[in-house]
Amino acid sequence: MPALDSQLSENYKQLASPHMYKDLYTKLSAACGYITVWEAGERVSQGTGFCFRADGQIITAAHVVTGRFPIRESDYTGPDTKILVKLVGQATAEYRVGFCGLTIQVPGFQAPVQIDLALLIPRVPPERPLSFIPASTTPPQLGEEVFCAGYSDELDTAFGVERMLDRGASGAAEFLTAMTQGYAADMTGPLIKRAVVGNSRRVIAESTSTNIRIECDLIYVDNGMHSGASGGPVVNGQGDAVAVIAQRPMTTVSSKEYPGLRVPSGSTFALSLQPVEFICRRFG
């Protein structure tokens, strides 16, 4: 069937075209921020976030802000806590927490339900509009192709420059400090991977006493992101963020030497953005 073979060949060429998603990749690279959180001068957490508005407001995973999960308010409200965000091509900026970890007490549950999402707001508004990825509250569907972006330990700076640097050289200390505060964003950029939604389950957390009802889809995609990518966006083919990377799922590997050894499964777990509408409405 020559006609069918020709069409299949043409379709393959389109899928394999390196320019097909160029605009999307460029947009993702510009909107993803490298987040570092400091407590009394010590870095306690790092991860990814993304601008979803031109005024620089950022969505990330709540555990990126606190350095652990479950979320504790004391982890981000201390007077010595400082949150820095570095966007590619932009100066490092200090942010404050607008919202961190939605906690709902659901009747019948022994512990509150926490949704691992956070909203960060720049302490000083940017001088000009920033590149951003619109947030959609329509979750991706099973089998849909998506794109995951985040700063990852898979990436390395050219030649491992921070390891080769003569630390006694003039300006070396300043360079290394800048690297820990996100300058690596300019030297590596975020890593972007294509994936397909392999599993999706909707959960509903509802509290009648506070009149709160939150829906959120728990999403698994069939490509693994690595540490540092938490808080990064999952984006659909239209360029809208539809979920936030939450964690790397783990699985067990059976062996005589290491029974029950847990290793990354090769997928990525993300949370859909339906709660963002509630968050923005309630917290401004």
Side-chain angles (χ1 to χ4, degrees):
M1 301 178 66
L4 178 58
D5 289 344
S6 176
Q7 183 62 52
L8 288 173
S9 176
E10 184 60 32
N11 289 345
Y12 176 79
K13 289 178 182 177
Q14 290 178 8
L15 288 173
S17 169
H19 304 293
M20 188 172 182
Y21 299 112
K22 181 179 178 181
D23 290 344
L24 177 59
Y25 276 44
T26 300
K27 193 174 183 180
L28 276 169
S29 295
C32 282
Y34 188 102
I35 299 173
T36 56
V37 182
W38 301 78
E39 184 70 34
E42 178 182 354
R43 189 169 68 178
V44 295
S45 184
Q46 67 185 71
T48 304
F50 64 95
C51 285
F52 74 109
R53 293 178 18 159
D55 63 4
Q57 291 194 31
I58 280 179
I59 293 173
T60 185
H63 77 266
V64 170
V65 178
T66 64
R68 58 183 173 180
F69 193 86
I71 305 303
R72 299 174 175 85
E73 187 176 354
S74 59
D75 288 336
Y76 62 87
T77 55
D80 295 325
T81 301
K82 180 179 289 189
I83 302 169
L84 301 178
V85 179
K86 178 70 174 71
L87 296 163
V88 175
Q90 303 289 333
T92 300
E94 186 174 353
Y95 275 65
R96 63 178 177 85
V97 171
F99 155 86
C100 187
L102 183 60
T103 301
I104 306 172
Q105 186 67 57
V106 180
F109 281 46
Q110 293 183 354
V113 172
Q114 287 194 329
I115 298 177
D116 192 10
L117 289 173
L119 173 69
L120 302 179
I121 301 171
R123 289 194 177 276
V124 178
E127 295 180 356
R128 59 184 63 86
L130 298 177
S131 296
F132 68 98
I133 307 166
S136 172
T137 55
T138 301
Q141 301 301 303
L142 193 65
E144 182 177 347
E145 183 182 53
V146 292
F147 304 83
C148 303
Y151 290 93
S152 172
D153 61 8
E154 289 181 84
L155 298 173
D156 198 1
T157 55
F159 309 112
V161 62
E162 70 278 11
R163 295 190 298 274
M164 296 176 62
L165 188 68
D166 179 357
R167 294 174 184 257
S170 176
E174 291 80 1
F175 174 80
L176 292 172
T177 297
M179 287 290 287
T180 64
Q181 294 181 351
Y183 182 61
D186 286 329
M187 301 191 72
T188 66
L191 180 61
I192 304 168
K193 294 184 177 181
R194 293 168 65 180
V196 170
V197 177
N199 188 279
S200 180
R201 291 292 180 268
R202 179 160 299 180
V203 296
I204 299 173
E206 186 171 15
S207 171
T208 54
S209 62
T210 56
N211 197 30
I212 292 177
R213 185 178 190 273
I214 297 293
E215 295 186 8
C216 185
D217 284 22
L218 311 181
I219 299 162
Y220 290 82
V221 302
D222 64 348
N223 204 340
M225 300 298 283
H226 290 69
S227 60
S230 289
V234 177
V235 177
N236 62 20
Q238 290 70 52
D240 296 330
V242 291
V244 170
I245 296 170
Q247 60 180 279
R248 292 180 295 170
M250 306 293 286
T251 188
T252 56
V253 177
S254 298
S255 69
K256 183 181 293 185
E257 294 80 7
Y258 303 100
L261 176 65
R262 292 179 61 77
V263 298
S265 67
S267 62
T268 296
F269 172 65
L271 298 171
S272 67
L273 298 181
Q274 292 107 311
V276 170
E277 185 176 9
F278 169 83
I279 292 167
C280 291
R281 186 172 65 248
R282 181 165 182 175
F283 298 94

